[in-house]
Amino acid sequence: MAADTLFRRITDYAHRADPYPLYAELREAGVVRQEDGSYLVGTYHEIAALLHDPRISSDRRNRAVPDETAAGEQGVPPSFIGLDDPEHHRLRRLAMRSFGPPHTPGRIDAMEGEITRIVKDLIAGFEGKKRIDIVDDFAYPLPVTVICRLLGVPTEDEPRFRLWSDTIVAGFDPTPGEDPAERQRAGSEARKAMGLYLGELAEKRRNRPSDDMLSAFINNEGPDGRLTQLEIMTTAVLLLIAGHETTVNLITNGILTLLRHPDELDRLRSEPPLMPKAVEELLRYEPPVQMLPQRTPLADIEVLGVTIPKGAPLILMLASGNRDPQRFRDPDRFDPTREDNQHLGFGSGMHSCFGAPLARMETQLALTALIQHLDKPRLVEDPPPYRRSPVLRGPRHLLIEDDRAGA
Amino acid sequence: MRGEPRDGRIVIVGASLAGLRAAEKLRAEGFAGSLTLVGEEPQPPYDRPPLSKQVLLGKVPAENTGLPQRREVDAEWRLGVRATGLDPFGKRVLLADGEEVSFDRLLIATGTRARPWPNPAEAALDGVFTLRTSDDAGRLAERLDAGPRRVLVIGAGFTGSEIASACRERGLEVTVAERGPAPLVGALGGTLGTLATRLQRAHGVDLRCGVTVTALEGNGRLTGAQFSDGTRIDADVAVVALGAVRNTEWLAESGLAAGPRGVTCDAGCRAFDMYGIVTDDIFAAGDVARFPHPLFEYQLLSLEHWGNAVAQAEVAAHNMVNPGPRRRPHLTVPAFWSSQFGLNIKSVGVPTFSDQVVIAQGSLKDARLVAVYGYRGRVTAAVSVNQAKWLEYYQRLIETAAPFPPAPGAADRPESLVPVPSDVPDPKMLSHGPTVALTGHLPDRRLTVVQPAR
């Protein structure tokens, strides 16, 4: 089939359960221009180079034809994921001050006990059920609870921001062919509403500091100054969405993959110290973020003999790079003991995943506890039904039956 | 079978980073023979970068910087004993305790030591320190704990600058004396030297450039110092940070191309003898090695970099247990980092191999930038200040000999992009040895004056 329809096919919901053959076709085709003028890159080394190339912008306002998410926004500027330096650098640094080293080195480690408790409570909730939904009963509530504690957001408000979050995620769905303007407008509205909500929560903490990030955002001042009210809103929205739309997929994809590889599941059950490596392999094999659809070259750039013009939409297919045989031996094999596994699951370079250490810890603890608890788990449906988004890809439900599920 | 690549006796002289990583790699590659590590220091291998940072700040005790082992290493460790000689005919390493160790293959990884203050009587004053070993760091940290009135740092290379930074962070008064025109200028050239000058002064360092220390004063205890410009200061601690001396004296009669600039080896880490003939059973890695690099016109490079020690040790180990066609070259692009005065500085390539420099991203004013260095129209190095994540891109430019100045279009790019001279001074102008040294093409300067040892 023609390479210029690859993106249409990759984003087609019919291929959500298994996009990997399409990625192989993409790697074979090299850098391919799509019918709408965007460019796809799916080979590992080229993606890695572009992720470190300062001529590649993450700010959609640099597109030759700006879209609604870039231009509309009614005055809400992008968060740091959609900005370039120096703004990106300043905002990310300010956000990191209250999340990780060097200023807050112990934050993530200190959450281990709490994450373990949440995992235990969720597993206790399986009581009495013979059939459980890994997504709704486990993989979704865990990261949501964690990110809420971390930011300082009441978990009871989850139904409110879940709706906003769904709308925002739908807003940046890059699926071609349908008119995205309405979705994007709704996404912008939801982003604004969520921002106001989080801004208000932060405001309540002004001069009344507590041990959460919203409090730090509004009260702490560093050498780079402090976040403005608007920046607190955009940053908090970014972290809340990133914190609960991605890890859910990593955990769910993890269980799905292990159930499809029962020997590896048994091995991990008897050798828990292998789990950190297994999680890295999951990030390679079934990455929760499949692609980065928002990049734009600031100059004409040549990749594999193709000139990607300045201002053209550039889509980096991380999940395809992760299966590139030029980089990974036997790439379609799930191998939890894989060496030299520098995958693109968290991206790389300037915008590499802000929350990676937290996602790693949550997933390692969650999978370890879950496989210890389950006895002879069986998939009810394979493949399971998937969520709509081709970017944040994962099952919408993952039903399993287990003799011990509710024991 | 002796002589079989994966069997026989391997001796590693030098039990620090390069020695340890080589030992691990040898076992990982299936070396099944006997392995002996000889180390002068009594401690198991430890990490040195924290010694001038976290240890001086009192955040980490000096004895707590042990290097993690990547795997179990079945080896005999002979620690606390110095190698004093090498007999290449009898294939023996002679030890200070009178014993000797025989080898089939040898790895030289003896590294460097701190260059001492040239006047031994002054160097012996209480309060005069160097900083290279964990003992050095422990003693200095203890003295800093006691709250000296003023610390004098002699030499403003990376180590000297990091020491000054730690002292200021502790709130101690610091004078830095540098013979060159600016701190860090020997490694990074004029543009970043100017930035370093500004930062040190902004952090309250009494920085004196273009001067040398002519005398350390004291009677038993250090009381002060005199400078070449006629001034003097009171100081109760002085740290001599004049660079490093390569530990090659023990090889003086070995017939190897070993001298003050290191042990010369080929790209596969095999040592040369003094006639420029490559040996096949003696290898070198780490700070003590001097090796040709194709990116820098095959000049012999001496690097005092953590990453180089690891990479070169791994190549050496691989080549020690693999036959000719399977051997690998040591081709990694040099890289190092430093943290000082709140900044993270990282370098790739060889900044001193340059004639021009341009700020490619960010700005000097914000102390957040990437400086790119060029030599005759190609990119040869890049240095980031609080911007390390871009360096992979610039490393690729170095590896592919991309044109200098770099192609336009980078984000966060300053208005003006005019390259300026890189102002890399002659190393003779500095009070400290540069951590990257291009040392020409001759394997051994003794080539012209061979004298039989008597």
Side-chain angles (χ1 to χ4, degrees), chain A residues 1-10 22-43 303-309 312-317 320:
Chain A
M1 251 187 281
D4 70 349
T5 61
L6 257 170
F7 195 57
R8 186 187 287 272
R9 285 179 282 145
I10 288 168
L22 292 170
Y23 296 155
E25 192 182 330
L26 168 61
R27 288 190 301 271
E28 200 57 42
V31 175
V32 287
R33 184 180 187 278
Q34 298 300 289
E35 47 201 350
D36 65 352
S38 59
Y39 287 77
L40 292 190
V41 182
T43 44
V303 182
L304 291 178
V306 174
T307 299
I308 305 173
L314 171 63
I315 301 162
L316 305 178
M317 305 301 299
S320 169

Side-chain angles (χ1 to χ4, degrees), chain B residues 383-436:
Chain B
V383 175
S384 66
V385 177
N386 284 357
Q387 289 279 280
K389 280 185 178 172
W390 291 123
L391 282 187
E392 238 181 89
Y393 169 71
Y394 293 100
Q395 179 171 335
R396 210 171 302 252
L397 298 186
I398 297 165
E399 287 165 348
T400 54
F404 177 89
D412 193 16
R413 198 164 170 126
E415 309 266 302
S416 137
L417 266 175
V418 185
V420 298
S422 60
D423 284 340
V424 183
D426 182 334
K428 291 189 193 75
M429 289 293 299
L430 307 170
S431 59
H432 53 87
T435 59
V436 185

Side-chain angles (χ1 to χ4, degrees), chain A residues 52 54-55 85-86 89 92 298, chain B residues 368 386-387 392-393 409 411:
Chain A
H52 287 91
R55 299 168 302 164
D85 282 355
H89 178 84
R92 182 166 166 139
L298 295 170
Chain B
R368 182 184 53 72
N386 284 357
Q387 289 279 280
E392 238 181 89
Y393 169 71

Side-chain angles (χ1 to χ4, degrees), chain B residues 222-233:
Chain B
L222 177 76
T223 53
Q226 293 172 16
F227 299 106
S228 55
D229 61 2
T231 56
R232 73 166 299 285
I233 58 163

Side-chain angles (χ1 to χ4, degrees), chain A residues 177-188:
Chain A
E178 31 179 305
D179 180 17
E182 190 41 51
R183 273 192 290 119
Q184 291 173 353
R185 244 190 309 278
S188 293

Side-chain angles (χ1 to χ4, degrees), chain A residues 281-292:
Chain A
E281 176 68 347
L282 283 171
L283 283 157
R284 185 193 72 82
Y285 187 77
E286 287 277 24
V289 179
Q290 294 267 301
M291 65 182 89
L292 298 173

Side-chain angles (χ1 to χ4, degrees), chain B residues 338-360:
Chain B
S338 169
S339 54
Q340 49 181 285
F341 302 106
L343 299 183
N344 169 274
I345 299 174
K346 207 171 164 195
S347 164
V348 291
V350 178
T352 49
F353 190 75
S354 66
D355 47 30
Q356 289 191 305
V357 63
V358 68
I359 305 296

